[in-house]
Amino acid sequence: MVQFGYTMMTEQAGPRELVAHAVGAEKAGFDFSVISDHYFPWLASQGHAPYAWSVLGAAARATSRIPLMTYVTCPTIRYHPAVVAQKAATVQLLSQGRFRLGLGSGENLNEHVVGADWPAAHVRLDMLDEAAGIIRRLLDGEHVTHHGAHFDVVDAKLWDVPEDRVPIGIAVSGDRSCAVAGRNADLVIATEPKRELLDAFDRYGGTGKPRVGQLPVCYDTDRDAAVKRAHDQFRWAVGGWRVNAELPGHLSFEQATELVTPDDVAETVPCGDDIATFTDAVRAYVDAGFTEVALVQVGGDQQEPFFRWAQDELLPALREL
């Protein structure tokens, strides 16, 4: 059966609130939870960007059942892959085997802060491919020395390696990233319900592995208020990843989305409280072949009403799909 998850959106809530949201998602009955890993919000109106890995450690101890996953971490510029492996192993131990490491090629929005040049997309994917191999070896308990095209690792070994190996997921958006995922990933991650991405992942070795999608939603009993909030905080998503990965800051996203209307956002983000609107949007992922779908409730201060509605109405309806 398809599993339905919840997103801890670091761009729209502070660290203590995010941990409370993980607890709320577990109590509401969500099957898993994911967390974004950002240094900046997409838009200033979102207002937050705490360190995701500290939140994960706290959430691991505050919850007891719900699986956790990064969605996603870039292990190439802001973080060195050897350090990402250490963080992942630690969270796996803190969560007692409930953690999965989601990796991606990153966005300039977060990676520019360390002052490095922002590579072209094909270079970023080569870096991700190499980084994922390093991480996998370290998580397998190997003693690693590596001198590659993009990374050096000298005499590295993890001293706290969990018995339950950390599964690795890789985010995909095209054929080349699907090839990287096929070589390295235990699961595939995507933010669009495109069957062709999953078919490509299968061609490169992903057959039978989990596939995780993500969908922003904006629940509110007042649909107009939901549409307004979604436009205010989530209009950045309309641009697509070819644009979103390249822009360096929230001011760039403000300018790039000046002409995006509330109706434009409402076409891609289910808004209001009509169950059919939400289930139809999720059904697109289910029909495409996704085995897991993580929802993002837009609005950091709107999580508790969403949890109540999800527990009573949305999750039962989704499970009938």
Side-chain angles (χ1 to χ4, degrees):
M1 293 180 62
V2 178
Q3 294 190 318
F4 301 102
Y6 169 79
T7 301
M8 291 181 279
M9 195 76 173
T10 59
E11 301 94 291
Q12 66 178 17
R16 292 174 64 89
E17 291 77 16
L18 289 164
V19 174
H21 297 165
V23 173
E26 183 173 70
K27 289 180 178 178
F30 282 94
D31 299 312
F32 66 98
S33 181
V34 304
I35 188 170
S36 57
D37 186 354
H38 275 239
Y39 201 92
F40 275 87
W42 301 99
L43 298 167
S45 58
Q46 291 179 307
H48 295 275
Y51 185 52
W53 289 88
S54 297
V55 175
L56 277 168
R61 302 306 294 163
T63 58
S64 60
R65 174 193 58 82
I66 195 167
L68 304 167
M69 180 169 70
T70 49
Y71 204 102
V72 292
T73 284
C74 177
T76 60
I77 298 176
R78 185 167 46 115
Y79 303 141
H80 189 281
V83 177
V84 172
Q86 184 188 34
K87 294 191 289 191
T90 300
V91 174
Q92 181 72 315
L93 289 166
L94 286 170
S95 66
Q96 296 181 299
R98 291 182 284 132
F99 181 65
R100 295 180 293 179
L101 175 63
L103 301 175
S105 58
E107 299 94 20
N108 197 11
L109 176 72
N110 306 302
E111 307 307 313
H112 77 269
V113 297
V114 297
D117 291 335
W118 184 235
H122 72 278
V123 176
R124 300 199 300 267
L125 286 172
D126 287 343
M127 295 174 73
L128 177 61
D129 199 2
E130 185 176 338
I134 293 167
I135 292 167
R136 180 177 288 280
R137 291 178 64 192
L138 287 167
L139 290 175
D140 283 341
E142 293 186 31
H143 206 129
V144 176
T145 292
H146 170 92
H147 299 287
H150 303 288
F151 300 104
D152 289 312
V153 181
V154 179
D155 194 25
K157 179 183 184 298
L158 299 182
W159 284 88
D160 291 279
V161 179
E163 290 184 9
D164 297 320
R165 189 187 173 281
V166 180
I168 295 174
I170 290 182
V172 300
S173 60
D175 190 76
R176 187 167 184 149
S177 56
C178 288
V180 173
R183 284 191 293 273
N184 296 286
D186 304 298
L187 57 130
V188 69
I189 296 165
T191 57
E192 297 176 282
K194 293 183 176 180
R195 181 181 292 273
E196 58 266 29
L197 293 175
L198 305 185
D199 290 342
F201 178 57
D202 288 346
R203 288 199 305 274
Y204 291 114
T207 301
K209 297 178 180 179
R211 42 219 60 206
V212 187
Q214 187 181 56
L215 173 69
V217 302
C218 196
Y219 163 76
D220 199 299
T221 54
D222 182 341
R223 185 179 185 276
D224 291 340
V227 172
K228 181 179 180 180
R229 185 167 69 248
H231 177 260
D232 178 54
Q233 297 191 23
F234 235 85
R235 64 185 183 276
W236 60 270
V238 175
W241 288 109
R242 289 182 182 274
V243 174
N244 292 347
E246 305 299 332
L247 298 180
H250 67 276
L251 294 177
S252 300
F253 282 93
E254 299 279 359
Q255 185 173 3
T257 57
E258 281 182 342
L259 300 180
V260 176
T261 68
D263 287 342
D264 293 333
V265 177
E267 287 181 4
T268 58
V269 179
C271 293
D273 62 352
D274 176 52
I275 287 289
T277 301
F278 288 74
T279 57
D280 286 348
V282 172
R283 189 187 300 276
Y285 286 84
V286 175
D287 290 347
F290 285 83
T291 58
E292 305 176 41
V293 183
L295 303 180
V296 184
Q297 164 65 359
V298 177
D301 60 350
Q302 297 295 318
Q303 304 305 302
E304 289 302 324
F306 173 69
F307 289 143
R308 291 193 295 270
W309 181 69
Q311 182 175 3
D312 294 342
E313 299 186 47
L314 180 60
L315 287 173
L318 290 177
R319 289 184 175 121
E320 290 183 2
L321 292 177

